[in-house]
Amino acid sequence: MVAQQQDEAVFLAAYDPRAFEPIAVTVDIVALTLRHGALHVLLVRRGGPPFEGCWALPGGFVRSGKESLDEAAARELAEETGLDAERGLGRVHLEQLGSYGRPGRDPRMHVVSIAYLAFAPDLPEARAGSDAAAAGWLPVVELGTTIRLLGQPDAEAERPQDQGRPAGAHGGGPGRRPDQSDRPGLTGLAFDHARILAEGLDRARSKIEYTPLATAFLGREFTITELREVYEAVWGRALHAGNFHRKVLSVPGFVESTGDTAIRSGSRGGPRARLYRAGDARLLHPALLRPDREESVR
């Protein structure tokens, strides 16, 4: 064992990482929340090259030797939302979505991105980090065209040199600022973020079918109507209120009654709705299938 440790120490002392081509690692975050009953995603407008002026998912480079991937994702999310461990970051559901490492996806160098999916209720107004010109929550429905056109495996956003600006050694350099719309659905997202966003949305829509993660969009207590509105916003489908209520209560461990009722009655009057909290189930059985999937399995 001692000889093995000595051999390894000798190897590491002579090891030269410069013998290999450099590669960088970033994290990008598909952060989703409900605002005014609609599904919104957090986007930032890039303040510098490459893709200066384009909208993008929040993210950044992993601090080498100082943080894990999960820590980097939490840090980047905190910078854009103002949340931290003391101000509600712990209530955000954060999970790895996938890895994206196609050569050329970033004009600066070979960059591998580890994408994360995050969602939580009542996330605060976005704030631009130090390297962003602006940040905001944008309705997913307004990004539909971009997601459909650019969210394919072989699709990519325009490169900086295709936007009337010389690329330079790091994909930047002097040049005019591209004439961008304030809405990214008209121009596309930076890098391959349209694909990442499309896959993040698909993951979210699928996961609330067979897991209770739809409750992560809500507060600690909620009504069945509020839960249904989450499904409608994420799926983009109107659901039958009575059928949804029956299905939710038929799934063991999905929700449990608090014994209390909402402070106000519904819009149509009548008795006040009962309040529920998330149950202890980790998987939903039977699953709550999207209407289009229900039709496909009949």
Side-chain angles (χ1 to χ4, degrees):
M1 177 64 71
V2 174
Q4 182 180 3
Q5 293 175 341
Q6 291 176 340
D7 291 342
E8 184 165 323
V10 172
F11 167 78
L12 293 175
Y15 182 79
D16 184 4
R18 294 172 297 180
F20 301 91
E21 292 290 333
I23 190 169
V25 178
T26 61
V27 291
D28 291 305
I29 305 165
V30 179
L32 304 172
T33 194
L34 295 184
R35 302 174 71 85
H36 312 296
L39 186 65
H40 284 60
V41 62
L42 178 60
L43 295 178
V44 299
R45 186 188 285 277
R46 290 183 58 79
F51 300 102
E52 181 177 0
C54 288
W55 288 93
L57 295 170
F61 287 92
V62 177
R63 294 172 177 171
S64 178
K66 297 180 179 179
E67 61 186 357
S68 67
L69 294 173
D70 290 355
E71 290 169 342
R75 172 179 55 79
E76 290 291 344
L77 185 60
E79 289 179 359
E80 306 296 345
T81 62
L83 295 176
D84 57 24
E86 297 180 355
R87 292 192 293 270
L89 189 62
R91 64 192 174 99
V92 177
H93 173 80
L94 188 65
E95 67 175 62
Q96 280 194 19
L97 171 63
S99 56
Y100 301 82
R102 176 180 53 80
R105 62 178 298 274
D106 190 312
R108 293 168 291 190
M109 63 182 297
H110 192 177
V111 177
V112 175
S113 177
I114 309 301
Y116 280 77
L117 178 64
F119 42 86
D122 303 323
L123 288 175
E125 291 294 335
R127 65 181 191 183
S130 58
D131 58 348
W137 292 99
L138 282 85
V140 167
V141 67
E142 295 187 11
L143 304 174
T145 300
T146 295
I147 294 170
R148 286 194 299 272
L149 293 180
L150 300 180
Q152 305 302 319
D154 58 348
E156 59 179 314
E158 289 182 279
R159 298 284 291 274
Q161 55 266 38
D162 298 326
Q163 298 173 343
R165 182 172 66 255
H170 296 283
R176 67 179 179 86
R177 183 183 181 89
D179 182 17
Q180 298 281 344
S181 165
D182 285 338
R183 293 296 182 180
L186 301 177
T187 58
L189 304 182
F191 306 103
D192 53 358
H193 287 187
R195 176 190 175 190
I196 297 175
L197 174 55
E199 294 183 2
L201 290 170
D202 187 64
R203 168 77 67 85
R205 289 164 178 157
S206 297
K207 291 208 73 168
I208 65 173
E209 287 187 298
Y210 61 88
T211 75
L213 285 177
T215 59
F217 284 98
L218 298 168
R220 297 184 185 278
E221 297 182 352
F222 50 84
T223 67
I224 298 298
T225 297
E226 290 170 334
L227 181 61
R228 173 169 53 84
E229 290 171 348
V230 171
Y231 276 87
E232 290 179 333
V234 176
W235 285 348
R237 300 282 192 278
L239 303 176
H240 187 279
N243 288 344
F244 181 82
H245 193 284
R246 174 180 52 81
K247 289 179 180 179
V248 168
L249 296 185
S250 69
V251 179
F254 187 4
V255 298
E256 58 182 32
S257 175
T258 66
D260 296 325
T261 57
I263 296 176
R264 299 179 180 178
S265 59
S267 59
R268 298 183 179 180
R272 292 182 295 182
R274 295 180 179 178
L275 290 174
Y276 296 82
R277 64 171 68 95
D280 58 2
R282 294 294 178 265
L283 295 175
L284 303 184
H285 185 73
L288 274 69
L289 298 179
R290 278 174 273 182
D292 51 346
R293 294 199 182 190
E294 283 184 330
E295 295 172 358
S296 66
V297 298
R298 287 176 181 172

